[in-house]
Amino acid sequence: DRISLQYQKLKQAFQSCNAKFFYACKSLSNINILKHLRTLGSSLDCVSINEVKLGLLSGFRPEDILFTPNCVDFTEIKEAKELGVHINIDNISLLEQFGHAYGDSYPICIRLNPHIMAGGNFKISTGHIDSKFGISIHQIRHIVRIVQTTGLKVEGIHMHTGSEIKDTGVFLMGLEVMFNMASHFPDLRYIDLGSGFKVAYQEGDKETDIQLLGQKVAEAFQNFEKETGRNLEVWFEPGKYLVSQ
């Protein structure tokens, strides 16, 4: 009941956006939880190839699964491609290998490091300049060169700045970075803002204002569409927000 309530809160908060939610199953990968979230309409975010396989076993369609690994061998990326799921690539080497192997035959997402310090503490901040997660936005010329050379089709760009983010301004700051990056990718369909919503573990704890965030994100995307003529989806990957009590 709690999971259902939290998922409905998300849908309501982002009803003015073209939003899609991918449950970050690393937060709780019990197969019955996955099946329940699927019935609610959720998609699935996976960090390992075995989570991808568990998601498929739970009944998720390949097109409703996003594979976001970190520092894995190219063989796992290749296996995810063969399974038909969305693939989020987070380093230059894998991006180049994928481009040379598949060209424009299989669209991908690119995880970018926005260089934003956020989260409950340094250990759970994943978007700062020293983070191992994502390709630095300062390497955008290198990324574009690989895309153009190999013919890669980039359908999404992704960022995740950390966990337990209380300030909605962090997401909007990151979104502005992503909008600037979007101009480099003509085939873009979505911008993925990760997650990191702060949840209340005890009564009185401060949490992310989801309603305010939904309103501000909707306004930002509407302004972006007016300025560019591009209508993009926004993706989120809530984990603890859905399964913590």
Side-chain angles (χ1 to χ4, degrees), residues 166 198-208:
K166 303 173 186 176
K198 177 72 175 73
V199 298
Y201 291 107
Q202 300 179 31
E203 189 175 345
D205 280 359
K206 186 175 181 181
E207 57 185 351
T208 308

Side-chain angles (χ1 to χ4, degrees), residues 5 40 45 86 109 131 142 159 215 221 231:
L5 175 63
L40 295 177
D45 170 56
H86 296 284
C109 179
S131 174
H142 194 170
M159 58 153 255
Q215 175 190 333
F221 270 88
N231 183 11

Side-chain angles (χ1 to χ4, degrees), residues 68 88-90 109-113 126 133-135 158 160:
T68 305
N88 197 4
I89 295 179
D90 76 338
C109 179
I110 297 177
R111 180 172 185 172
L112 298 170
N113 181 336
T126 57
F133 298 101
I135 305 171
H158 169 282
H160 175 61

Side-chain angles (χ1 to χ4, degrees), residues 42-151:
S42 176
S43 297
L44 197 66
D45 170 56
C46 304
V47 297
S48 74
I49 199 66
N50 282 329
E51 284 186 354
V52 170
K53 292 176 181 177
L54 183 61
L56 293 170
L57 187 64
S58 304
F60 285 92
R61 301 176 302 171
E63 57 265 36
D64 291 327
I65 296 177
L66 175 64
F67 179 44
T68 305
N70 178 247
C71 300
V72 299
D73 189 83
F74 187 68
T75 55
E76 285 197 35
I77 301 291
K78 182 178 179 181
E79 187 172 3
K81 185 260 180 188
E82 291 170 351
L83 291 171
V85 302
H86 296 284
I87 300 173
N88 197 4
I89 295 179
D90 76 338
N91 71 70
I92 287 288
S93 174
L94 289 178
L95 186 67
E96 200 160 20
Q97 289 181 69
F98 195 94
H100 285 304
Y102 304 113
D104 64 354
S105 65
Y106 198 92
I108 52 119
C109 179
I110 297 177
R111 180 172 185 172
L112 298 170
N113 181 336
H115 298 304
I116 295 173
M117 176 65 76
N121 59 63
F122 183 78
K123 291 183 178 180
I124 55 176
S125 178
T126 57
H128 57 81
I129 194 167
D130 295 317
S131 174
K132 67 176 182 175
F133 298 101
I135 305 171
S136 169
I137 55 174
H138 300 312
Q139 290 184 284
I140 186 62
R141 288 186 180 180
H142 194 170
I143 295 170
V144 170
R145 187 162 60 248
I146 292 172
V147 170
Q148 292 176 343
T149 301
T150 63

Side-chain angles (χ1 to χ4, degrees), residues 1-11 23 27-42 238-245:
D1 290 344
R2 174 70 174 176
I3 291 170
S4 299
L5 175 63
Q6 291 297 94
Y7 189 78
Q8 293 307 316
K9 281 184 180 179
L10 280 179
K11 286 187 64 178
Y23 168 59
S27 55
L28 180 59
S29 58
N30 180 292
I31 192 169
N32 294 298
I33 298 297
L34 302 188
K35 288 179 178 179
H36 178 61
L37 279 156
R38 180 177 58 78
T39 65
L40 295 177
S42 176
K240 288 187 294 183
Y241 180 83
L242 291 174
V243 295
S244 296
Q245 292 198 46

